[in-house]
Amino acid sequence: MELRIRVLFTSVCHTDLIYWRGQDKAQRIYPRIFGHEASGVVESVGEGVDDLEIGDHVVPIFNGECGKCVYCKSKKKTNLCEKFRVNTMKSTMSSDGKCRFSTEEGKPIFHFLNTSTFTEYTVVDSACVVKIDREASLKKMSLLSCGVSMGVGAVWNTADVEEGSTVAVFGLGAVGLAVVEGARSKGASRIIGVDVNPHKSSKAQAIGITDFINPKDLDKPTHQRIREMTEGGVDYSFECAGNLDVLREAFLSTHDGWGLTVMLGVHPTQRLLPLHPMELFEGRRIVTSVFGDFKGKSQLPHFANQCIKGVVKLDEFITHEMPFSRINEAMQLLSDGASLRCLLHF
Ligand code: APR
Ligand code: ZN
Ligand code: ZN
């Protein structure tokens, strides 16, 4: 049930930086091939795979869909699969617990997020491979592997933002800007972008924020400012910074009674959620969204078509392009907050 994919485009996401650096001490699994945002072409097909062929244009997904387990069979309950759900601890293939990469001496090189795309060829279980229309630009489709699907899906599926809603987005990297794009496409009346990096404001405005807040410029907590601006708080807030203090600000910036906060950041910390249980009685809710609540194999092709049609615009997300050999530079650009997505090509 495995495929070998020739990776044509891949880009660095903040999650790669977190695990490459070993910020989560429990997960220092090396040597390991990182990377999970990519697109490419099927180069060979393993026994048992009947939905993909050599030459198919594909996008790997870190949150797979086997289609057979109780989770996959649940229509709307979850997009987590029993076997192929997002799991940063998993470092080998599901079928035999072994690696498909090795050093010249034959020592294993571990896998990452069911995908491992920082390599010219990768081997992925078919549950984690989505076929994409041949007409689509593979370069742009690589964005659907993670950031854009996460952000737009969090708005469309997880929060189901209605036209006219007010929204606050904390962290304006690729994930946060995908939330902005999703909110814009749904006709949100106000989209407040929050980032400590002042350079993030112009791009975010081009995509669709109506207001920008830099918490460093405020003499009060960000949530207070947002509540003042919106007569009590926004309808929806999204945390896309990977910081628990930011998550608390996002939580408190929604309107009591109905506010919903969606957490998208990855939090490499031992700390627990930064809220008191009694605060939930105020009627604010907090949820997370894995892969934008898309069931990857069955729902991503439709989402890809929406992107091709221009319902969701992808161009703004690719800020840099360079050959794969310059990957260190690409990682530095993301780490410095100087890029959204730097497309690496082989
Ligand atoms: N308040 C507001 N914004 C912040 C703060 C803060 N305290 N700290 C960081 N940010 C902003 C950064 O300035 C940056 O613009 O959050 C943004 C994060 O963007 P990227 O580093 O580009 O990360 P991205 O790839 O968008 O991922 C965002 O989602 O998938 C997860 O692991 C990923 O936690 C990360 C998050
Ligand atoms: Zn990612
Ligand atoms: Zn499954």
Side-chain angles (χ1 to χ4, degrees), residues 275-339:
L275 51 114
H276 191 276
M278 296 306 283
E279 287 179 307
L280 292 171
F281 283 114
E282 298 280 318
R284 296 187 177 90
R285 290 175 299 142
I286 183 164
V287 295
T288 185
S289 174
V290 175
F291 197 54
D293 270 322
F294 284 114
K295 281 187 187 271
K297 277 191 83 104
S298 50
Q299 296 177 338
L300 208 66
H302 175 69
F303 179 57
N305 286 337
Q306 300 286 95
C307 295
I308 296 165
K309 279 189 198 152
V311 177
V312 173
K313 299 188 188 78
L314 300 176
D315 296 304
E316 297 279 353
F317 291 90
I318 302 173
T319 53
H320 299 73
E321 289 184 47
M322 51 184 74
F324 184 76
S325 54
R326 286 166 64 189
I327 186 169
N328 288 352
E329 216 175 300
M331 291 178 112
Q332 194 61 49
L333 282 168
L334 186 70
S335 177
D336 293 345
S339 68

Side-chain angles (χ1 to χ4, degrees), residues 64-73 79-85 127 295:
E65 183 185 358
C66 79
K68 298 186 188 100
C69 72
V70 63
Y71 299 82
C72 286
K73 280 187 172 160
N79 68 337
L80 298 179
C81 169
E82 185 174 357
K83 255 195 197 167
F84 299 102
R85 67 179 60 189
K295 281 187 187 271

Side-chain angles (χ1 to χ4, degrees), residues 13-15 18 150 171-176 194-197 200 215 240-243 246 264-266 334 339 341:
C13 164
H14 206 113
T15 308
I18 291 172
M150 292 232 311
L172 299 171
V175 174
V194 181
D195 203 299
V196 284
N197 179 347
K200 297 284 175 175
C240 314
N243 176 311
V246 175
L264 293 166
V266 171
L334 186 70
S339 68
R341 284 298 183 259

